[in-house]
Amino acid sequence: ALARKQDWVNRRLVIWGEAGSGKTHLLRLWAAREGAIRLNAPSLREPVQAPEQDMAIEDIDTPASETAMLHTLNTAQAAGRHVLLTSRAPPGRLPLNLADLASRLRASLTIQIESAEDALLEALLIRLCAARQIILPVQLRNYLLVRLPRQAAVLHEAVARLDRAALALGASPNRATASLVLADLCLAPEAPEPPLQERHSPSSPGFL
């Protein structure tokens, strides 16, 4: 969808998903490629007049001014500009007061970023560890994947903490270290680990 903006409904695309699902990352990549103006809805208090470039607007679920966002979308449409927007909820579930703004957002191509599959999360974890030259035994990797929330941002934070702990201790991270430094990130209570043969271990995480 990002590569085919000619298919966007009314030249708008709304991508939505939970925090840490990658919305901002995608928006920034698209904005850089298209030379688009980047805006943040929570700080947008005045409308953008006659934009000369496409626009990328983050966090439309918490706008500072619904009126400013509505007029910005109107001027973008009048100027023939494309607008990429991000949200934690789909347009139809946003608690907006302006009916016209709600209508504009609903009349957009809308795509949800769903939770990653197990294989993708494990491949991401392997890649993050490899980037920091951390070696995690399969048992510890499974322990983390079962207990950490299924969000890329959480995996990034977990690996960064394990790296700092390993440097401080002068040893590779183990389960005790992980339990200590990741306690506030892990889901509770602890659940029994699945048998190792039931988990998929990708041999090549390079596709990420």
Side-chain angles (χ1 to χ4, degrees):
L2 291 172
R4 294 181 57 82
K5 62 183 184 181
Q6 67 271 21
D7 295 337
W8 296 7
V9 179
N10 293 315
R11 300 191 182 91
R12 292 188 297 269
L13 168 62
V14 179
I15 53 177
W16 68 277
E18 63 183 15
S21 60
K23 303 182 299 296
T24 294
H25 181 65
L26 290 173
L27 179 141
R28 290 175 179 174
L29 287 175
W30 180 84
R33 187 186 69 193
E34 301 293 333
I37 303 169
R38 279 178 47 196
L39 302 169
N40 193 349
S43 59
L44 182 64
R45 292 178 170 80
E46 297 293 334
V48 177
Q49 302 293 344
E52 297 182 358
Q53 300 143 282
D54 290 342
M55 290 190 288
I57 307 177
E58 295 186 66
D59 301 328
I60 62 169
D61 45 309
T62 54
S65 168
E66 293 185 15
T67 301
M69 193 158 70
L70 171 62
H71 289 313
T72 296
L73 295 180
N74 287 343
T75 57
Q77 188 166 21
R81 306 301 175 193
H82 289 79
V83 184
L84 174 64
L85 309 105
T86 67
S87 173
R88 292 192 183 187
R93 295 213 305 261
L94 295 180
L96 300 172
N97 296 313
L98 283 182
D100 285 347
L101 176 60
S103 175
R104 296 287 189 284
L105 293 175
R106 286 196 301 268
S108 309
L109 177 61
T110 302
I111 296 178
Q112 178 186 8
I113 302 180
E114 299 179 351
S115 298
E117 298 176 351
D118 289 347
L120 185 60
L121 287 172
E122 187 169 8
L124 176 59
L125 179 59
I126 292 172
R127 181 181 179 185
L128 292 172
C129 289
R132 294 176 178 265
Q133 298 183 330
I134 299 174
I135 299 176
L136 294 183
V138 173
Q139 293 87 345
L140 180 54
R141 200 162 65 225
N142 290 339
Y143 174 84
L144 296 176
L145 290 170
V146 168
R147 287 164 178 79
L148 291 173
R150 302 171 59 81
Q151 299 173 8
V154 174
L155 292 186
H156 278 269
E157 175 63 17
V159 172
R161 292 189 189 185
L162 291 174
D163 187 33
R164 291 194 294 268
L167 291 173
L169 296 172
S172 297
N174 54 32
R175 180 162 169 168
T177 301
S179 298
L180 180 64
V181 302
L182 304 178
D184 61 316
L185 295 180
C186 288
L187 301 171
E190 292 190 354
E193 292 186 39
L196 294 181
Q197 64 267 25
E198 292 184 7
R199 296 196 56 79
H200 171 70
S201 181
S203 58
S204 176
F207 63 87
L208 289 177

